[in-house]
Amino acid sequence: MGALLEVRDLTVSYRTNEGPVPALRGVDLTVEAGEVLGVAGESGCGKSTLASTVLRLQPKDATVGGEVLVNGSDVLTLGWGDLRALRWAEASIVFQGALHSLNPVRRIRDQIAEPILVHDPGTSDDEVERRVGELLEQVGLPRARSRAYPHQLSGGQRQRVMIAMALACRPKLVVADEPTTALDVMVQAQILDLLGGLVRDLDLGMVLISHDLSVLSEVCDRVVVMYAGRVVELGAAAEVFDDPLHPYAQALTGAFPRIGDPRARYAPAGLAGDPPDLRTLPDGCSFAPRCPKAVDACRTAEPPLVTPPGAAPGRRAACIRAGEPA
Amino acid sequence: MSATLVAAGGSTPTLRRPSYAKYVGGRVLGALGSLAFVLVVNFFLFRVLPGDPARTLGRGRFRTEEQLEAFRATYGLDQPLPQQFLTFLKNTLTGDLGVSLRYRVPVSELILDRLWPTLLLVGTSTLLATIIGIYLGMVSAWNRGKTVDRVWTGSTLTLYSMPEWWLGLLLIATLAVGFGPVPGMFPTGGLHSVDADPGTFGYVLDTAWHLALPVTTLTLAYLADYALIMRSSLLDEIGEDYLVTARAKGLRDLQVRRRHAVPNALLPTTTLVAINLGFVVSGAITIETIFSIPGLGLLATEALSIPDYWVLQGVFLVASAAVILANLLANLLYGLLDPRVRT
């Protein structure tokens, strides 16, 4: 039995009028059952593109290469019938922005029941009703809410509905794409708690995507940090958060002030420069133009993702200066 | 943290049910208000017109002051204006719209008589235009930018910019009169042949044959509205995130369209259809005129030239009432289809 999700050398580029724009440039990752893999990075680094390829939902103008194995079958080459059978039943997605991802004019009951009936058309009405009630209770909403329309729910409740919907067909893998964006801090914590609990109780594999490393460090087992469509750092969540190896990961952790760390509180570090323009990536390391530690060697070849000298096994970074004494 | 989790989910003390009854009540009251306003305007609009009805309607036949007084007394014009208004209100509410000066029959009878040709003509055209228009709009949106889309959107825009009476005249000049070796295939006007026998199947066919050209004209003229609205609202929906959700759930593309995209895109179209239904009654004055269809539009045109105040007043009232009713219908339908507008 292989991994729940195995992404191998995934490349995605979007066709535009100004030529192809790469969104993912050779991404590898795996998720096992019961494991939460965090994906961190700033806007435009390819996080959401990664989420959409897991169910082959990328836009029509995307060119995709590599392999995305969900439970062993390659989503990218599967026939349409098999792909539809796999969608939601084996892997589901909690989409970003629950307000727009729910149909505004249908009751949430019908929206949660829809995938159940699509994948198991013989399900009786009573069975569907029971299952919807169960799912709502599982995400902490009262059964009576099943008659509500999306606009009658708060942002946090809508996100819970999205999660209940994602669990409708008992998938083994759930991809949560920025599930807590646009929620206030308290609700954000509740949703993360809920997701963590579900992974434990249902032995799910989960990919949790966020731009907020502190969110990921709380829930995830392992974390990958992405920059300009590549994985630049990979490792156990706590290690990456406490001791980032890649300068970009360091900037990312430094951007969030940490409780109990007066230095970070008084000086939350920013990162100079703009996010990379994917159409005109430099030779060598794509982070080099913004990197405080860049040397000439950084600008000649893109550094491979390897375990730096002295780092814990299982940790990797795509930086030739990682592991050097600070 | 798990304590707050439970509290957040359970904190729904009273579920605010969207009360459709309350929504309906509000809309019906609004419609009644509009109707009352129309009644008042309907009365005073014709009273503030310059001129003396007794002199205009008498057309110089009344020579003496006594004759004028007698005429005014017959029509209640000697009463003070507030008294006249109350009488008008009472009469209108009891269905008495007065008597036509030209036809010497009650206006209500006249209107009922002229209502059917208009309903048949404009109703059929609206129905056809709605169905064809929505279908074309859907096909264009699904095939955005492709040849099908360009052809349909181009043709509907062309039809949209054509004056309907010009299109009607064009059809008369070609298909009714005939051109070159092609003989005329349709009548140039009217609703029935003179020798048609009412109540027979032949009579129905004869009516359909007479209505073919005017209905085609109006359908082509109305079509573009629906096709363009449907196309643009469907294109709006196609970009929406919940369609990605639907695809992710494992729905076929056809199911995604039929269950999610089309019902949402139909919302603006429904409003347009319902509102246009109101204008079915007031008719297509130009088309009724050029095809000589004895409908309400033609009645109003004739009444204006006389001028037959009581007929104008009646047609005005019925047409306004139809528009108000159609608006009410649009509101109620929208409330039924879109839960968001109820609250």
Side-chain angles (χ1 to χ4, degrees), chain B residues 122-134 215-216 219 223 226:
Chain B
V122 190
T124 313
S125 313
T126 306
L127 194 69
L128 283 176
T130 308
I131 295 170
I132 303 173
I134 287 177
V215 164
T216 308
T219 304
L223 189 83
Y226 301 114

Side-chain angles (χ1 to χ4, degrees), chain A residues 193, chain B residues 1-8:
Chain A
D193 228 33
Chain B
M1 226 184 250
S2 49
T4 51
L5 178 91
V6 174

Side-chain angles (χ1 to χ4, degrees), chain A residues 101 103 111 114 119 140 142 145, chain B residues 9 15 242 245 248-249 252 260:
Chain A
S101 296
N103 187 331
Q111 302 194 50
E114 187 170 40
H119 289 281
R145 285 318 250 161
Chain B
L15 189 71
Y242 66 83
T245 310
K249 285 175 177 175
R252 291 166 184 277
H260 293 276

